[in-house]
Amino acid sequence: MVLPLLTAAHRRFIIIALIAVLCVFYFMSMGPEDYYSSAKSLSTGQSKDSTSVEQTSDTPLLLGSAPAQSKPSPSFGNITPHDVSSPRRANATLVMLARNSDLDGVISSVEQLEAKFNRKFKYPWVFLNDQPFSSEFKRRVSVLTDADVSFGLIPHEMWVQPDWIDEGRAQAGRNMLVKEGVIYGGSVSYRNMCRFNSGFFFRHELLTPYKWYWRVEPDVRFYCDLDYDPFVFMEDHDKVYGFTISMPEWAPTIISLWSIVQEFISEFPQYVSPDNAMDFISDDAGDSFNMCHFWSNFEIADMDFWRGEAYTKFFDYLENAGGFYYERWGDAPVHSIAAALFARKDQLHFFKDIGYKHAEFAHCPQGKQWREGHCSCNPNDNFDFAQSSCLRNFMRLDDWMFG
Amino acid sequence: MVLPLLTAAHRRFIIIALIAVLCVFYFMSMGPEDYYSSAKSLSTGQSKDSTSVEQTSDTPLLLGSAPAQSKPSPSFGNITPHDVSSPRRANATLVMLARNSDLDGVISSVEQLEAKFNRKFKYPWVFLNDQPFSSEFKRRVSVLTDADVSFGLIPHEMWVQPDWIDEGRAQAGRNMLVKEGVIYGGSVSYRNMCRFNSGFFFRHELLTPYKWYWRVEPDVRFYCDLDYDPFVFMEDHDKVYGFTISMPEWAPTIISLWSIVQEFISEFPQYVSPDNAMDFISDDAGDSFNMCHFWSNFEIADMDFWRGEAYTKFFDYLENAGGFYYERWGDAPVHSIAAALFARKDQLHFFKDIGYKHAEFAHCPQGKQWREGHCSCNPNDNFDFAQSSCLRNFMRLDDWMFG
């Protein structure tokens, strides 16, 4: 035993150190909720201003992105993330675009994601709307979480159809899609939303402080507990874009999109990653688009990727072509094509452990992940390898798995 | 400072004691989930056998009821329970009667109660059915929780209409209620269920080890986080019966019930508590039943009360009258009348902090409790003081509040 050999002063020091450690453990023993409650009372939140912003909590935002800490993994389809105990946080936010009339669906989505994930992690929420949120909306949504909640108004120029769009041509495009029975074919507001989600949300002043986001929509289902931090996971594995469901786009909505993409690639070949995921979006090495895209109502991704030079140039190129209004380009194919071409294929991540449903399409984790996630979904209600799922295309990127 | 005055041996003892305390805090710092996970790996569960029982987890059951530790409080409407940090557990279970066809609604209820309460407390679940549960049912339900889950078959004699019931008279009773348009008026299985819930569930072999239960039904809503242990709360405050919603019974279903109750009281006056809650169930000091009852699809209560002499005699008395089949006596009025008469009024507890909805009737906590519970219900969707709510009757029991 070493202790008796020490001087009395040394012993006192050790005792004091032990007491200090004990105090630290005492605070740790409070559990995450108590811990965050204490944190709240010890620090004030960073205030964010927007045309219509309400700060409902003073949980610290902990801004400042931590750098990626490990090499990209070649096994992008098969990483088992577990980082539960890490106190490290990512510079991330949960974001939802919603209307006041979506209140019930918003509450349902937030209640679930809080229960399954965010109660433990307390990432802030940002809600965006092209109209001011009602006080009732803000009151009912804010109460659901102890995390920071902000409500923002989308600036007019990020939302409405630009003046330079030829409205006659846009109207003709809408009429054609209505005639073909395409969903939202005649809707201008849907087009506004797709364009906003494609090129603007990450530039909204409530989102500019953040690097990572989890896009959530009203009325979706989250089925499973998520006990690790998916943002820290993305960061640690040098990921850029995470998804749960993939499927083909309606061809009539993006008639000219691929030819514009091809033009862009010819003009700016330097943006295309040498190790891209072209095989996900094309069955013929880029000659044609196979319509496959990540279903973007769920996204866990890196806004700095959208803010970077490649995507900025790409979005401007698409914007100038006018296809968001002349056709009905969705943010899903736009994001997916960009992620597939400008990122490395190993930077795309299939969150197979996140049980999720939107409309009629569900991803239900299987086997061990279903059990460990306490998933409430039926494992057989799973779109992964349904006829029209594109997950096969994603899996074939993983050469070592199938090659 | 006292330490330098001690001998080296004393100092060593103190250091070792501190290290021991540190280790304890280390285990405490693991948080409830880790703690219980460790507990699971350190002990094997107590096995329970039933005709159709599946043990899905080996969480220890921690049997043995802890005695009530405080005096009954006279402020039964206004106690603010908070006992979050207490590691003490009650001898309690969550219990649900369900059919295989109820699976989706069962999953919904369990998922919510796990998220809002039981994920932290890990009380065991007991599911009962008059038919064997399917393996699909057991698989889909067991996955939702880390707590112990048991599936039991209800013995025939606890469920079906006894042979001595005059089926002609019972059929006439059903026909009359069908004619009057009373819900479940013609259903025998509904009557089986009411009788089972009135007099038998607490005698089922899967429930006999427990003192406390929380009755849960398929397809109910739990709106708010519950951060304390309601069973320990009941125990500490010498409570017997807890509810969230109260309302009047359909008179045609209990035509003779009150006269039978009056007979029982005359015959066994010793069972009536001197400080009973007759004013909840009668507006004329017991001459007539005002139809008010606690809505028993939600109950947090003491099975030893049902197992006790007063209720055992009372149930037998009702059973012999045959009203469960000749009329359509519900377990709600039967439980409520017994709790109101045989317990002290301060042993009844209104769980105003538990947000709950069954069918069209909701209790949504208000104000501070709504906020602190992160409640997803609309505070205005609240039956508490609706025209046909009986909560007023309950409140008037509390003399100091209204007297």
Side-chain angles (χ1 to χ4, degrees), chain B residues 262-296:
Chain B
Q262 286 175 315
E263 275 173 33
F264 180 83
I265 293 174
S266 309
E267 204 167 322
F268 302 99
Q270 69 273 28
Y271 295 134
V272 178
S273 167
D275 197 22
N276 63 66
M278 179 66 94
D279 287 347
F280 174 65
I281 53 175
S282 175
D283 300 331
D284 47 22
D287 281 350
S288 65
F289 180 37
N290 62 14
M291 304 293 153
C292 277
H293 62 281
F294 307 119
W295 214 24
S296 61

Side-chain angles (χ1 to χ4, degrees), chain A residues 243-276:
Chain A
F243 70 98
T244 51
I245 293 171
S246 60
M247 58 174 65
E249 182 56 290
W250 296 104
T253 65
I254 49 163
I255 289 171
S256 71
L257 177 61
W258 191 249
S259 62
I260 308 277
V261 170
Q262 287 176 314
E263 276 175 32
F264 179 83
I265 293 174
S266 310
E267 203 166 323
F268 302 101
Q270 69 273 27
Y271 295 134
V272 178
S273 167
D275 197 21
N276 62 64

Side-chain angles (χ1 to χ4, degrees), chain A residues 144-160:
Chain A
L144 302 171
T145 177
D146 285 330
D148 183 86
V149 183
S150 305
F151 298 94
L153 184 65
I154 297 170
H156 198 252
E157 66 277 12
M158 289 188 178
W159 190 258
V160 299

Side-chain angles (χ1 to χ4, degrees), chain B residues 378-396:
Chain B
N378 184 340
N380 298 327
D381 179 16
N382 187 23
F383 189 65
D384 288 6
F385 295 105
Q387 185 94 40
S388 55
S389 169
C390 286
L391 191 62
R392 280 177 214 85
N393 290 23
F394 183 76
M395 302 305 262
R396 76 187 175 193

Side-chain angles (χ1 to χ4, degrees), chain A residues 1 3-4 8 11-12 14-16 18-19 21-22 25-26 28-29 31-34 107 111-112 115-117 119-120 136 139-140 142-146 221-225 227 370-380, chain B residues 1 3-4 8 11-12 14-16 18-19 21-22 25-26 28-29 31-33 84 107 111-112 115-117 119-120 136 139-140 142-146 221-225 227 370-380:
Chain A
M1 188 136 179
L3 286 171
R11 288 182 206 129
R12 276 202 298 279
I14 288 169
I15 289 166
I16 289 163
L18 276 170
I19 290 168
V21 171
L22 221 151
F25 274 92
Y26 174 74
M28 284 175 70
S29 75
E33 298 200 7
D34 304 319
I107 290 171
E111 182 178 17
Q112 289 174 70
K116 306 292 189 185
F117 162 68
R119 173 176 315 195
K120 289 188 288 289
E136 174 69 0
R139 190 174 80 103
R140 295 285 308 280
S142 306
V143 77
L144 302 171
T145 177
D146 285 330
R221 286 283 281 120
F222 292 105
Y223 290 118
C224 312
D225 292 338
D227 289 326
W370 182 75
R371 290 190 302 275
E372 292 184 349
H374 307 114
C375 299
S376 59
C377 49
N378 184 341
N380 298 326
Chain B
M1 190 141 179
L3 287 172
R11 285 182 207 129
R12 274 201 300 278
I14 288 169
I15 288 165
I16 288 165
L18 276 170
I19 289 168
V21 171
L22 222 149
F25 274 92
Y26 174 74
M28 285 174 70
S29 75
E33 298 199 10
V84 191
I107 290 171
E111 182 179 17
Q112 290 175 67
K116 306 292 188 184
F117 162 68
R119 172 176 316 196
K120 287 189 289 287
E136 173 70 359
R139 192 174 78 103
R140 295 285 308 281
S142 306
V143 76
L144 302 172
T145 177
D146 286 331
R221 287 284 279 119
F222 292 105
Y223 289 119
C224 313
D225 292 339
D227 289 327
W370 183 76
R371 291 190 301 275
E372 291 184 351
H374 307 114
C375 300
S376 59
C377 48
N378 184 340
N380 298 327

